Amino acid sequence: MELRDTFDTVAERYDRVRPRYPPALVQRLVRAARLGPASRALEIGPGTGQLTRPLAATGCRLTAVERGPALAAVARRNLAGFPRAEVVVGDFERWPPADPPGLFDLVACATAFHWLDPADRVGRAAAVLRPGGLLALVTTHHVAGGSDGFFAEAQSCYERWDPATPPGLRLAAAEATATDTGELTGSGLLTDVVAHRHTQEITYTADAYVEVLLTYSGHLALDAPSRRGLLACLRGLIETRYGGRITKRYLHELILARRTP
């Protein structure tokens, strides 16, 4: 199983606990794409539909291509009230659009673009956009903030139970974190590349935080004894030193680019 396929094994949990995107980010995307009933949109890797539902709510004709059949099933359930939205099970890197290329007004990909082959992911996305159409990528970063002390102390748990953990790793500040957009600007296929930054903080109980961690590919890929040991270490730290609750800060970047003529 590829690392990116681990999400499909926890589809229901993924839908239940993964953070939703900040409303201001979604509103900015919808305005930039001018989405409405006359629009056609494609979403790559929708998961269970965290971004898909607010896009579908604009009334646009929406196609979402999801690699995982279990994730796609949950996404279809979440989109049941939007008859103009469809979820297709397939790998975008091999999925041919049913229509000739270049007909989508928006191609969106939220926290999934990094799983695509960097050799041709920009070209494939641009190929299905009409001239002037919008490519919208959402990236999610775990940044310093919230319960900083917990995340510093948690490093010892990771170093003990996950041998791939770099020693002394610390979360970077949001101000020092940014996605490299050179792949887009240098493609010759896109123009007007701009990134908008949105942060949010979410407070978790120990149980809720463990649930979130059990939707991360790196944690799911650990062998069962190491995963149990890591989660028990983190849970104990939250319960004994942080009063049973910690706050995590996320940085979401909305990266927008236009298809060149």
Side-chain angles (χ1 to χ4, degrees):
M1 177 186 294
E2 291 187 34
L3 197 58
R4 61 178 172 171
D5 292 325
T6 57
F7 305 113
D8 203 53
T9 67
V10 291
E12 293 290 348
R13 180 184 294 126
Y14 191 102
D15 185 57
R16 187 172 66 252
V17 305
R18 273 295 181 110
R20 273 38 180 177
Y21 297 107
L25 182 154
V26 177
Q27 292 163 10
R28 188 189 295 271
L29 193 167
V30 168
R31 287 196 304 269
R34 299 178 182 175
L35 287 184
S39 306
R40 295 195 62 189
L42 171 70
E43 187 180 359
I44 304 166
T48 59
Q50 280 80 356
L51 181 64
T52 322
R53 287 189 68 182
L55 296 182
T58 67
C60 69
R61 182 177 170 189
L62 174 65
T63 300
V65 181
E66 172 51 54
R67 178 183 172 98
L71 292 167
V74 179
R76 288 195 188 103
R77 185 181 71 208
N78 289 334
L79 293 166
F82 304 101
R84 303 194 74 206
E86 64 170 345
V87 181
V88 177
V89 176
D91 187 339
F92 174 72
E93 292 164 310
R94 297 176 179 82
W95 172 78
D99 299 302
L103 291 185
F104 289 102
D105 303 292
L106 169 70
V107 172
C109 186
T111 320
F113 201 66
H114 62 286
W115 292 112
L116 303 179
D117 185 352
D120 64 355
R121 59 192 175 191
V122 173
R124 283 184 175 274
V128 296
L129 273 172
R130 64 166 177 78
L134 187 71
L135 174 65
L137 307 179
V138 181
T139 62
T140 298
H141 307 276
H142 308 281
V143 295
S147 303
D148 279 332
F150 163 76
F151 293 103
E153 291 191 67
Q155 176 69 13
S156 63
C157 296
Y158 282 95
E159 290 182 10
R160 177 181 179 186
W161 294 104
D162 182 0
T165 302
L169 185 67
R170 293 292 184 270
L171 293 173
E175 296 76 14
T177 304
T179 299
D180 183 358
T181 58
E183 181 181 4
L184 306 181
T185 57
S187 68
L189 302 170
L190 301 164
T191 188
D192 300 332
V193 179
V194 62
H196 303 278
R197 300 159 66 83
H198 300 262
T199 59
Q200 65 172 329
E201 291 190 349
I202 300 177
T203 297
Y204 297 101
T205 64
D207 286 345
Y209 188 61
V210 166
E211 281 261 272
V212 172
L213 294 180
L214 285 171
T215 68
Y216 292 164
S217 58
H219 294 70
L220 292 170
L222 286 173
D223 62 82
S226 296
R227 185 169 55 249
R228 286 195 298 268
L230 172 61
L231 297 178
C233 184
L234 295 171
R235 184 194 300 275
L237 187 60
I238 295 170
E239 291 179 340
T240 60
R241 291 183 54 79
Y242 291 88
R245 291 178 179 272
I246 55 98
T247 298
K248 185 174 182 62
R249 192 177 196 201
Y250 298 90
L251 167 65
H252 306 280
E253 291 179 290
L254 173 62
I255 302 168
L256 304 176
R258 293 283 174 188
R259 179 69 165 97
T260 55

